[in-house]
């Protein structure tokens, strides 16, 4: 083979957000859902700049530049990232200002800019500002040599001041530097609602609102008696958050983790977002933050669309959201009796996550349950699962919980959970040195008829009931003895000093997951013939492991047909003649975040199907503790296989990756429109309706009179 072809990881990730932005631009999608897609893009870019761009900037500062697998050096990559991100942010801003906000106004929800306040609105706003906002503001000056601490991703107002004639220069400390711009900043209060509702008039049913940052910019002059404000800028900065915790901190690991959280607030800046309203202020900010034009993202107004997220909870706007989709729940009277008969599959969010939370809650209260072991990566706030684990420990059960403190941006929350669990008597293990525990597994050990029976839950997604309403994930419930044996070995391995032993069903990273994937790809090559070519289907969030990609290229040249459903990053180049012409890559962006990982190998007619917590990325396969598990129940196998095929039939919310790195939106073009997520919803709705209609069967016993 020739030198392998790879797309750049960062540029591929940016294109994923371009596809999300495409959904925000679709006029047939409800307005508040379009606004939500804009917020997702904004949040995604926040993390991207904090982690990936920050890392590349450090590499670019190294005089010894190395090219990546796509042939780019860090400086070249930074330039291309900036160019593409500026294009996307421009579209992003224009979609908000010239499309979505006017469309919202036509539906009776109108954003009012400060210059458009009526006299009544102005009086209301001035009173609100003086009574509620002004006391929370702290003006801080910027001098030629110093700048106050600015928190990452918080909005600030900046003011260019001019002394009022007749005021003595020494009467105010802002005038100490002669002939220099007099600039002050104030943080937009984070404890107040961003949306300020304006008084309604009798003649209009329109709901009018303005934004908190508008008030600060408009009336912030009151912070500076003796000065006039000649120019203002709304801005926020993004700082480097790519810090590694000291893995050798031992008993002080939590303290080391907390230090990382503090460091994020004072690290170097990687991006400045601002309104394009004062070249003087922007120039001073850039100088202090050591940023170039490539790092600055200017818009006309409204730098953060997440400010509008409060509209999502406004009553009376149901028609501006997607039509409600239920989360169907199948009542299970006894998990123990059911799982002894057959495995169970859960497909959230189409099916209710209550099935998982109830299992853990039942186990916590069941007097015959002796022990519970599970991993927690991201649990969310007010977690019923954490509450159940605390209750289980209080009830005298042996509870062991593996809390991953290094789950990025959830570190502080996980530290809180870990502390609460320990206080309740739970044995908490804080991950593994040098590895993140990303596997999703639960083991329940129960005494039954003088014997021990074990029940296992394995999932592609986190134990988080809130995201389970928004993320598409699959999980398996089983009482299979061999899987239970493997689960026991897994927990023994990650909790202490157990040596690695062969597991019969579970495949673990970083031990042998990558090796198994490569082996199964090679097996597909070996068993592929011209008349009966091999076949691989895989669905995941990202594909970035170059060794795995090379194996897929090899399989393609051997005639193996490969279908890949990749939501985000894809470094594989499909459709290249005599190279990857047998590989097709599609991506689905819809109302739910596609998060499940499904791997299918035809295996010469003896097909195998796996679910996994791991994407095919170096971090998942080599630097995280992950699990891949097989589907052996024939009914569940077919169910997942049909679902996987459906993802490749979608022609309404999917894109196909081209050899040049662009994505083509798929359209029905006269064919039957197929929307995978909608089809799955109606599948589970039909199943729930059928169960609801089944009459209760009463058995009457004949007895002799």
């Amino acid at each position: 083979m020739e030198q392998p072809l790879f797309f750049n990881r960062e540029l591929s990730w940016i294109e994923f957000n371009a596809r999300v932005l495409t959904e925000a631009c679709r006029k047939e999608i409800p307005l508040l859902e379009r606004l939500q897609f804009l917020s997702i893009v904004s949040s995604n870019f926040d993390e991207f700049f904090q982690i990936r761009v920050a890392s590349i900037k450090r590499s670019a500062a190294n005089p010894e530049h190395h090219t990546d697998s796509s042939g780019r050096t860090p400086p070249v990559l930074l330039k291309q990232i900036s160019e593409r991100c500026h294009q996307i942010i421009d579209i992003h801003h224009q979609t908000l200002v010239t499309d979505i906000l006017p469309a919202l106004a036509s539906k009776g929800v109108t954003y009012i800019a400060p210059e458009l306040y009526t006299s009544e609105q102005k009086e209301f706003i001035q009173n609100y500002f003086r009574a509620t906002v002004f006391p929370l503001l702290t003006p801080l000056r910027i001098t030629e040599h110093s700048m106050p601490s600015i928190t990452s991703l918080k909005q600030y107002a900046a003011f260019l001041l001019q002394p009022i004639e007749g005021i003595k220069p020494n009467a105010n400390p802002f005038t100490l530097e002669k002939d220099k711009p007099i600039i002050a900043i104030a943080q937009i209060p984070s404890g107040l609602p961003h949306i300020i509702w304006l008084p309604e008039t009798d003649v209009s049913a329109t709901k009018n609102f303005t934004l908190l940052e508008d008030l600060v910019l408009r009336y912030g002059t009151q912070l500076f008696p003796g000065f006039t404000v000649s120019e203002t800028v709304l801005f926020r900065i993004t700082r480097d958050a790519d810090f590694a915790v000291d893995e050798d901190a031992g008993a002080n690991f939590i303290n080391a983790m907390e230090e990382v959280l503090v460091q994020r607030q004072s690290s170097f800046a990687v991006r400045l977002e601002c309104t394009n309203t004062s070249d003087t202020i922007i120039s001073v900010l850039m100088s202090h933050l050591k940023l170039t034009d490539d790092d600055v993202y200017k818009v006309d107004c409204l730098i953060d669309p997440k400010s509008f997220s409060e509209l999502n909870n406004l009553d009376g706007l149901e028609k501006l959201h997607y039509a409600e989709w239920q989360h169907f729940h199948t009542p299970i009277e006894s998990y123990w009796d059911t799982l002894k008969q057959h495995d169970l599959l859960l497909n959230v969010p189409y099916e209710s996550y209550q099935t998982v939370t109830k299992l853990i809650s039942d186990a916590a209260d069941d007097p015959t349950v002796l022990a519970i072991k599970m991993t927690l990566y991201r649990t969310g706030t007010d977690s019923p699962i954490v509450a159940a684990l605390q209750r289980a420990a209080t009830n005298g059960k042996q509870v062991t919980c593996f809390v991953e403190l290094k789950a990025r941006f959830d570190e502080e929350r996980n530290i809180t959970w870990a502390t609460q669990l320990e206080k309740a008597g739970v044995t908490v293990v804080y991950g593994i040195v040098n590895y993140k525990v990303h596997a999703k597994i639960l083991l329940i050990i129960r005494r039954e008829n003088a014997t021990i029976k074990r029940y296992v839950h394995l999932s592609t997604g986190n134990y988080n009931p809130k995201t389970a309403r928004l993320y598409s994930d699959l999980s398996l419930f089983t009482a299979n003895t061999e899987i239970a044996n493997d689960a026991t070995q897994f927990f023994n391995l990650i909790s202490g000093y157990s040596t690695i032993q062969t597991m019969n069903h579970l495949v673990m990273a970083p031990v042998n997951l990558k090796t198994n994937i490569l082996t199964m790809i090679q097996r597909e090559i070996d068993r592929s013939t011209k008349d009966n070519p091999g076949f691989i289907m895989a669905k995941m969030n990202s594909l970035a492991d170059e060794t795995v990609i090379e194996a897929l290229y090899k399989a393609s040249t051997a005639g193996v047909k490969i279908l890949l459903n990749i939501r985000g990053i894809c470094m594989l180049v499909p459709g290249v003649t005599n190279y990857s012409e047998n590989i097709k890559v599609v991506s689905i962006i819809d109302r739910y975040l596609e998060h499940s990982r499904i791997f299918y190998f035809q295996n010469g007619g003896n097909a195998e199907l796996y679910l996994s917590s791991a994407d095919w990325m170096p971090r998942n396969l080599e630097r995280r503790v992950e699990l891949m598990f097989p589907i052996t129940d024939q009914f569940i196998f077919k169910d997942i296989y049909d679902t996987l095929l459906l993802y490749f039939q979608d022609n309404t919310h999917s894109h196909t990756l081209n050899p040049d790195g662009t994505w083509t939106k798929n359209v029905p073009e006269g064919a039957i429109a197929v929307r995978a997520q909608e089809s799955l919803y109606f599948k589970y709705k039909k199943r729930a309706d059928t169960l609801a209609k089944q009459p209760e069967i009463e058995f009457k016993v004949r007895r002799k009179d």
Side-chain angles (χ1 to χ4, degrees):
M1 290 179 61
E2 301 176 4
Q3 183 69 24
L5 303 175
F6 299 103
F7 290 129
N8 174 266
R9 168 184 166 151
E10 281 68 38
L11 296 178
S12 178
W13 188 92
I14 293 172
E15 293 310 313
F16 158 62
N17 285 279
R19 297 194 296 280
V20 177
L21 182 56
T22 298
E23 293 298 297
C25 295
R26 295 177 62 161
K27 295 185 183 297
E28 70 272 21
I29 291 179
L31 281 170
L32 290 181
E33 303 297 344
R34 295 176 63 192
L35 191 58
Q36 181 64 18
F37 280 119
L38 288 184
S39 295
I40 291 171
V41 173
S42 182
S43 296
N44 286 348
F45 271 127
D46 287 348
E47 182 171 342
F48 177 67
F49 277 89
Q50 288 181 92
I51 305 301
R52 301 304 304 178
V53 175
S55 176
I56 299 167
K57 276 181 170 286
R58 282 196 297 272
S59 297
N62 188 333
E64 296 183 6
H65 294 152
H66 300 284
T67 58
D68 63 16
S69 56
S70 70
R72 294 171 172 83
T73 62
V76 169
L77 179 56
L78 282 175
K79 189 71 176 179
Q80 293 181 342
I81 287 174
S82 175
E83 291 175 354
R84 185 60 174 135
C85 286
H86 274 90
Q87 292 172 356
I88 291 175
I89 293 303
D90 286 345
I91 298 172
H92 184 271
H93 183 68
Q94 291 303 314
T95 301
L96 173 65
V97 174
T98 66
D99 183 358
I100 293 180
L101 289 182
L104 277 173
S106 71
K107 299 295 183 181
V109 183
T110 304
Y111 165 67
I112 306 294
E115 62 272 16
L116 300 177
Y117 293 160
T118 65
S119 57
E120 182 184 7
Q121 291 168 345
K122 189 177 297 183
E123 181 181 1
F124 169 81
I125 286 298
Q126 288 175 336
N127 291 334
Y128 181 86
F129 177 81
R130 283 194 295 267
T132 306
V133 182
F134 183 82
L136 297 175
L137 298 177
T138 303
L140 302 169
R141 63 176 176 152
I142 297 177
T143 70
E144 182 181 9
H145 303 291
S146 66
M147 185 175 188
S149 175
I150 299 178
T151 304
S152 182
L153 299 181
K154 296 293 186 181
Q155 290 196 65
Y156 288 79
F159 305 88
L160 182 62
L161 308 178
Q162 299 291 337
I164 296 175
E165 188 174 350
I167 300 294
K168 293 181 180 180
N170 61 357
N172 195 300
F174 285 119
T175 61
L176 293 177
E177 295 181 288
K178 295 182 179 180
D179 302 323
K180 298 294 182 182
I182 305 172
I183 298 174
I185 64 172
Q187 182 178 335
I188 307 299
S190 56
L192 296 177
H194 267 87
I195 289 180
I196 310 298
W197 294 102
L198 300 172
E200 297 182 18
T201 62
D202 295 335
V203 297
S204 174
T206 299
K207 295 180 181 293
N208 297 322
F209 69 93
T210 192
L211 296 176
L212 178 61
E213 47 266 38
D214 292 332
L215 275 64
V216 176
L217 287 172
R218 186 77 167 184
Y219 300 107
T221 53
Q222 299 176 28
L223 294 166
F224 314 106
F227 290 87
T228 60
V229 175
S230 58
E231 296 176 7
T232 61
V233 165
L234 183 67
F235 75 94
R236 71 173 190 155
I237 64 172
T238 307
R239 295 188 181 277
D240 168 32
D242 189 26
F243 291 99
V245 67
D246 180 7
E247 295 284 357
D248 296 320
N252 296 318
F253 186 76
I254 289 183
N255 292 337
M257 197 73 248
E258 290 172 337
E259 289 177 8
V260 166
L261 300 180
V262 173
Q263 290 172 8
R264 285 181 182 168
Q265 300 309 318
S266 59
S267 56
F268 70 87
V270 295
R271 177 181 60 162
L272 170 65
E273 299 170 277
C274 57
T275 52
N276 189 20
T277 48
S278 173
D279 291 339
T280 300
I281 295 176
I282 293 172
S283 177
V284 171
L285 291 174
M286 290 173 61
S287 176
H288 278 289
L289 298 170
K290 297 180 174 56
L291 296 175
T292 68
D293 288 338
D294 287 344
D295 305 316
V296 179
Y297 293 79
K298 302 177 184 178
V299 295
D300 296 330
C301 59
L302 307 174
I303 63 173
D304 188 3
K306 295 193 294 296
S307 298
F308 297 94
S309 62
E310 295 167 31
L311 292 175
N312 290 326
N313 300 319
L314 187 64
D315 292 336
L317 299 184
E318 290 77 11
K319 292 183 178 180
L320 302 185
H321 287 285
Y322 284 127
E324 182 181 0
W325 281 3
Q326 294 175 261
H327 308 282
F328 301 105
H329 178 62
T330 303
I332 300 173
E333 291 188 11
S334 170
Y335 289 91
W336 328 122
D337 294 341
T338 301
L339 293 178
K340 280 195 281 283
Q341 297 176 44
H342 57 80
D343 293 350
L344 290 175
L345 176 72
L346 181 70
N347 190 349
V348 297
Y350 311 101
E351 296 181 287
S352 172
Y353 199 71
Q354 184 182 351
T355 305
V356 176
T357 57
K358 185 177 183 298
L359 169 65
I360 301 172
S361 182
D362 286 359
D365 298 327
D366 188 330
T368 65
V369 168
L370 304 177
I372 301 173
K373 301 181 182 183
M374 73 179 301
T375 59
L376 289 178
Y377 190 72
R378 301 187 194 275
T379 59
T381 56
D382 302 322
S383 172
I385 291 175
V386 172
L389 293 175
Q390 291 173 297
R391 193 169 71 252
T394 302
N395 289 340
K397 304 182 191 309
Q398 182 180 329
V399 182
T400 305
C401 190
F402 299 79
V403 180
E404 183 49 76
L405 297 186
K406 293 174 289 184
R408 184 170 281 142
F409 302 121
D410 270 346
E411 299 96 338
E412 187 172 2
R413 181 181 296 153
N414 285 3
I415 289 172
T416 300
W417 287 135
T419 303
Q420 292 180 6
L421 287 167
E422 282 190 320
K423 288 181 179 179
V426 175
T427 300
V428 177
V429 180
Y430 299 109
I432 298 176
V433 176
N434 296 320
Y435 296 97
K436 285 185 180 181
V437 178
H438 193 249
K440 284 75 175 166
I441 182 171
L442 163 69
L443 175 64
I444 297 171
I445 304 168
R446 192 169 182 261
R447 181 189 291 114
E448 298 179 3
N449 299 323
T451 63
I452 295 298
K453 185 69 177 178
R454 291 165 296 180
Y455 300 87
V456 181
H457 174 261
L458 294 151
S459 179
T460 67
N462 297 310
Y463 287 106
N464 188 329
K466 291 186 178 179
T467 57
R469 298 177 65 86
L470 303 170
Y471 291 14
S472 171
D473 273 303
L474 294 166
S475 60
L476 179 73
F477 303 76
T478 184
N480 180 291
T481 301
E482 291 190 337
I483 289 182
N485 289 338
D486 287 355
T488 301
Q489 287 190 38
F490 171 81
F491 281 114
N492 290 343
L493 176 62
I494 67 173
S495 65
Y497 295 96
S498 299
T499 58
I500 298 173
Q501 301 180 34
T502 300
M503 292 189 281
N504 294 319
H505 288 279
L506 301 186
V507 185
M508 176 180 173
V511 180
N512 59 348
L513 202 162
K514 182 173 180 177
T515 301
N516 275 38
I517 290 170
L518 294 173
T519 298
M520 288 187 287
I521 294 174
Q522 182 60 48
R523 183 184 64 187
E524 213 62 30
I525 295 172
D526 295 339
R527 298 186 178 183
S528 180
T529 66
K530 186 176 181 180
D531 295 331
N532 187 25
F535 184 39
I536 297 171
M537 285 193 295
K539 178 181 180 295
M540 65 197 82
N541 298 326
S542 297
L543 172 59
D545 189 284
E546 295 178 11
T547 305
V548 173
I549 293 173
E550 289 176 14
L552 292 172
Y553 286 151
K554 181 181 177 183
S556 173
T557 59
V560 177
K561 305 297 181 182
I562 302 170
L563 295 178
L564 301 174
N565 190 293
I566 314 293
R567 188 194 77 212
I569 298 166
C570 182
M571 291 176 57
L572 179 146
V573 182
V576 179
T577 304
N578 298 323
Y579 200 86
S580 57
E581 59 187 337
N582 289 315
I583 304 177
K584 180 179 180 180
V585 180
V586 299
S587 177
I588 290 178
I589 309 292
D590 203 344
R591 66 184 289 171
Y592 295 144
L593 180 78
E594 290 296 338
H595 193 251
S596 58
R597 291 90 167 185
I598 311 171
F599 313 137
Y600 170 85
F601 298 89
Q602 185 171 267
N603 189 25
N606 188 23
E608 294 179 353
L609 185 86
Y610 298 87
L611 301 180
S612 180
S613 62
D615 293 312
W616 290 353
M617 301 182 72
R619 71 179 187 188
N620 298 94
L621 301 179
E622 299 170 5
R623 300 190 298 275
R624 288 184 174 183
V625 175
E626 306 270 14
L627 285 173
M628 181 174 74
F629 50 98
I631 300 300
T632 57
D633 183 291
Q634 59 177 335
F635 298 105
I636 295 178
F637 188 111
K638 185 179 186 308
D639 193 356
I640 298 176
Y641 177 81
D642 291 343
T643 297
L644 186 55
L645 280 178
L646 179 62
Y647 281 119
F648 294 100
Q649 297 166 359
D650 188 298
N651 56 15
T652 61
H653 287 71
S654 66
H655 291 73
T656 298
L657 180 59
N658 301 311
D660 62 357
T662 61
W663 291 80
T664 299
K665 183 172 177 55
N666 296 317
V667 295
E669 293 184 349
I672 297 175
V674 178
R675 182 183 176 190
Q677 291 191 1
E678 184 179 61
S679 297
L680 287 170
Y681 171 75
F682 283 110
K683 166 187 171 181
Y684 287 99
K685 183 179 187 303
K686 181 179 180 180
R687 182 179 296 179
D689 290 345
T690 301
L691 288 173
K693 292 178 181 178
Q694 288 181 351
E696 293 186 9
I697 300 175
E698 180 181 356
F699 293 95
K700 294 184 178 181
V701 180
R702 287 196 179 98
R703 301 181 186 276
K704 185 176 180 181
D705 293 338

